[in-house]
Amino acid sequence: MANTIGITGGIGSGKSVVSSLLELSGIPVYSADTEGRRLTDTSPIIRRKLQDLFGNDIYVDGKLDRKRVASLSFDNEMMLDKLNGIIHPVVRDDFRAWVAARNVKYCAMESAILYEAGFEKEVELVLMVYAPLELRISRVMRRDGMTEADVMRRMNSQMPDDIKRGKADFVIVNDDIQPLIPQIDQFVDYLKSYIDI
């Protein structure tokens, strides 16, 4: 069974870039966000429970109406908790099956909400990708065409960086100043010393 790593960091920190570099180093990465979206469309368990929660018309042409779900749950903490309680366990089980199917020393899960979703219990150590707040805001505004207020609202729904940083086993700084490749190499060396191989 592969040793498991969690990759997390706030929106705009550059988790996907770091994940891609780790994949180039031979570490497969499971994207909880991408797979969560796939599972909301394909899992009969999620579909049934979401239809019970939001009504049968929450699926349009076999696909979840994500905009409608977001508008119904984003500012409603109780609804968001119910939504997460439906999706996260299925993602967790899917990740476990994905890990079991890999014949590698290491594999990873990338998730912005690794701690919030309880996914840190699925991994042996956590890598946090850190970037300064102003840089993260400008990245997300440029990437997603969002306003600063929208970006801030999404950031405020995630665990603050300083708390994530305190919980993580290793931090990579993605500030467009410090090069990433040497930090990735350091992390891979750290993995070899941290996990008994």
Side-chain angles (χ1 to χ4, degrees):
M1 186 80 148
N3 298 292
T4 50
I5 304 150
I7 305 165
T8 195
I11 183 174
S13 60
K15 294 179 299 302
S16 298
V17 173
V18 168
S19 293
S20 298
L21 291 171
L22 283 174
E23 287 191 305
L24 290 173
S25 301
I27 299 171
V29 179
Y30 177 99
S31 167
D33 197 33
T34 302
E35 298 306 322
R37 278 197 298 274
R38 175 183 64 81
L39 289 164
T40 57
D41 289 337
T42 60
S43 164
I45 297 165
I46 291 177
R47 178 187 287 258
R48 190 185 71 248
K49 290 182 176 178
L50 290 184
Q51 285 177 327
D52 288 346
L53 187 61
F54 296 111
N56 287 340
D57 59 347
I58 203 69
Y59 280 83
V60 178
D61 298 327
K63 303 269 187 200
L64 182 66
D65 185 344
R66 289 182 174 77
K67 280 188 178 165
R68 192 151 156 249
V69 168
S71 70
L72 292 169
S73 62
F74 196 76
D75 288 324
N76 182 334
E77 204 170 319
M78 194 174 78
M79 193 65 89
L80 194 57
D81 285 347
K82 285 182 181 175
L83 178 66
N84 291 337
I86 291 167
I87 297 170
H88 294 165
V90 179
V91 172
R92 180 200 61 217
D93 292 347
D94 191 64
F95 174 66
R96 287 175 181 172
W98 180 87
V99 170
R102 307 257 107 45
N103 186 22
V104 291
K105 269 184 193 155
Y106 310 108
C107 57
M109 172 194 268
E110 177 196 328
S111 174
I113 54 167
L114 190 84
Y115 292 110
E116 297 92 325
F119 293 149
E120 86 280 4
K121 298 183 188 86
E122 302 300 312
V123 298
E124 291 158 72
L125 66 93
V126 175
L127 163 65
M128 185 209 172
V129 182
Y130 169 81
L133 183 65
E134 302 74 25
L135 182 58
R136 289 172 55 208
I137 292 168
S138 68
R139 281 176 182 163
V140 178
M141 286 173 69
R142 201 167 51 242
R143 182 190 72 196
D144 298 343
M146 293 169 73
T147 65
E148 186 172 343
D150 285 339
V151 177
M152 289 304 297
R153 195 161 64 246
R154 281 186 63 187
M155 285 182 172
N156 290 336
S157 72
Q158 295 180 350
M159 183 183 285
D161 268 3
D162 55 340
I163 296 175
K164 276 186 181 154
R165 205 169 182 164
K167 289 174 175 270
D169 299 289
F170 197 96
V171 176
I172 284 181
V173 177
N174 183 21
D175 59 2
D176 294 347
I177 298 166
Q178 299 181 59
L180 285 175
I181 303 290
Q183 295 184 78
I184 295 286
D185 291 343
Q186 265 187 319
F187 176 67
V188 172
D189 288 343
Y190 171 79
L191 267 185
K192 291 171 183 168
S193 64
Y194 184 92
I195 295 177
D196 180 26
I197 57 170

